[in-house]
């Protein structure tokens, strides 16, 4: 019988799919502030296009973790690779690689003396080398995508909190990053403004962008995340698809957290 079976011909080398380089690889990440250890041996692999939500109690290390990814915080130990570049071992190359990582903060961090348009064109012109016309065209495109193009010539003080955060997202997108990091992007907003920012993030998630988002917005996590990471005491306690995390959390700490935040 075996002799009658046809062998599957080998794929020609040029047709064999090359394995995709992970967007982010974290191995044994440690972060200390003096004698206090914030991150305790974090291991994580993020695939290109993957959408991950990080949640957990205050002080669990969520924000520190994503701030280490773009070197806003320097790691005390371990390795972080972004698009194949070891950030600590290749400091010169990492400067270029980290230009592909956008970040949106809890507080909008817009330049108050600059218009919305100027906030969005500054980095593409100074870092990417775009001309003013090119940068403005790109800025208007992304301002349109976040629904705020009509406010391009206003100043941040003339906008609501939700509008300012949408500008901050557009500004990050103007660098056309491959990875977007969000550090509690709605926590500083009035409740009625949260939805407009989350709507923009949902659309962004649908575009295939690699996203890591620290948030307590569990509805967003259910809708958008492919994986939910629950952190406690500087460690990843759970790493699950949202349906598993919300319906059958493994740890007692995650159960208590969900009971409190979803009550």
């Amino acid at each position: 019988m075996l002799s009658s079976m046809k062998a599957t011909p080998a794929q020609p080398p040029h047709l064999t799919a090359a394995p995709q380089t992970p967007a982010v690889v974290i191995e044994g990440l440690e972060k200390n502030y003096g004698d206090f250890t914030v991150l305790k041996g974090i291991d994580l692999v993020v695939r290109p296009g993957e959408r991950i939500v990080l949640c957990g109690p205050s002080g669990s290390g969520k924000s520190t973790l994503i701030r280490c990814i773009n070197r806003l915080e320097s790691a005390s130990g371990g390795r972080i690779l972004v698009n194949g570049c070891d950030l600590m071992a290749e400091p010169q190359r990492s400067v270029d690689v980290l230009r592909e990582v956008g970040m949106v903060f809890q507080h909008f961090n817009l330049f108050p003396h600059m218009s919305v348009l100027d906030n969005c064109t500054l980095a593409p012109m100074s870092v990417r080398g775009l001309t003013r016309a090119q940068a403005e065209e790109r800025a208007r495109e992304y301002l349109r995508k976040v629904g705020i193009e009509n406010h391009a010539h206003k100043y941040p003080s003339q906008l609501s909190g939700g509008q300012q955060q949408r500008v901050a997202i557009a500004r990050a997108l103007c660098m056309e990053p491959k990875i977007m990091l969000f550090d509690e992007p709605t926590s500083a907003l009035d409740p009625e403004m949260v939805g407009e920012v989350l709507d923009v993030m949902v659309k962004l998630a649908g575009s295939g962008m690699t996203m890591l988002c620290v948030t307590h917005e569990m509805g967003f996590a259910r809708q958008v995340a492919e994986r939910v990471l629950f952190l406690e005491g500087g460690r990843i306690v759970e790493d699950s698809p949202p349906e598993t995390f919300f319906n059958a959390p493994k740890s007692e700490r995650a159960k208590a957290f969900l009971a409190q935040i979803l009550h």
Side-chain angles (χ1 to χ4, degrees):
M1 290 181 63
L2 289 175
S3 60
S4 64
M5 294 176 64
K6 293 183 178 180
T8 303
Q11 287 286 333
H14 68 282
L15 294 180
T16 303
Q20 231 178 357
T21 300
V24 178
V25 177
I26 298 174
E27 299 174 347
L29 179 62
E30 303 271 346
K31 176 60 182 177
N32 304 319
Y33 293 107
D35 295 331
F36 179 61
T37 301
V38 182
L39 298 176
K40 305 173 182 177
I42 297 288
D43 294 314
L44 177 64
V45 176
V46 181
R47 301 187 309 271
E50 196 166 26
R51 303 180 301 277
I52 294 178
V53 163
L54 297 86
C55 63
S58 297
S60 58
K62 309 179 298 296
S63 294
T64 302
L65 172 55
I66 65 167
R67 288 171 69 89
C68 284
I69 293 173
N70 67 355
R71 296 192 69 181
L72 288 177
E73 298 280 358
S74 57
S76 304
R79 299 175 74 213
I80 303 174
L81 287 82
V82 176
N83 292 329
C85 173
D86 189 326
L87 299 186
M88 288 169 274
E90 305 174 80
Q92 293 301 318
R93 184 181 166 214
S94 71
V95 172
D96 292 328
V97 169
L98 290 176
R99 290 175 180 170
E100 308 295 335
V101 180
M103 186 157 184
V104 177
F105 300 88
Q106 176 179 349
H107 299 288
F108 323 122
N109 292 343
L110 300 174
F111 294 112
H113 63 289
M114 299 174 66
S115 70
V116 165
L117 190 62
D118 287 341
N119 265 280
C120 292
T121 57
L122 179 63
M125 291 170 63
S126 60
V127 177
R128 295 288 195 197
L130 270 62
T131 65
R132 178 79 193 184
Q134 290 171 328
E136 285 197 5
E137 181 181 2
R138 182 182 292 184
R140 291 185 184 281
E141 174 190 351
Y142 286 112
L143 288 170
R144 183 166 56 252
K145 285 186 176 180
V146 302
I148 208 157
E149 185 189 14
N150 291 340
H151 300 287
H153 292 291
K154 290 184 179 179
Y155 287 85
S157 62
Q158 298 174 291
L159 304 178
S160 70
Q163 289 171 330
Q164 289 186 61
Q165 192 62 294
R166 282 189 280 160
V167 173
I169 293 172
R171 178 180 61 178
L173 292 174
C174 283
M175 289 292 285
E176 300 198 327
K178 296 178 181 176
I179 300 168
M180 280 286 285
L181 309 175
F182 294 87
D183 188 6
E184 301 196 33
T186 60
S187 63
L189 299 177
D190 293 334
E192 63 268 22
M193 298 177 185
V194 169
E196 65 185 67
V197 173
L198 292 179
D199 286 346
V200 170
M201 293 173 63
V202 168
K203 290 177 184 175
L204 182 60
S207 72
M209 174 76 72
T210 304
M211 296 173 60
L212 288 91
C213 181
V214 174
T215 185
H216 291 300
E217 299 292 340
M218 295 296 98
F220 173 80
R222 285 180 184 270
Q223 182 177 358
V224 169
E226 293 173 278
R227 291 161 63 191
V228 176
L229 307 185
F230 178 77
L231 280 75
E232 164 70 11
R235 303 182 190 278
I236 297 175
V237 177
E238 300 207 24
D239 180 350
S240 307
E243 59 270 21
T244 301
F245 178 72
F246 287 108
N247 297 325
K250 302 180 184 67
S251 68
E252 291 302 318
R253 187 63 187 88
K255 291 176 185 177
F257 173 82
L258 287 172
Q260 185 176 28
I261 205 167
L262 296 177
H263 73 277

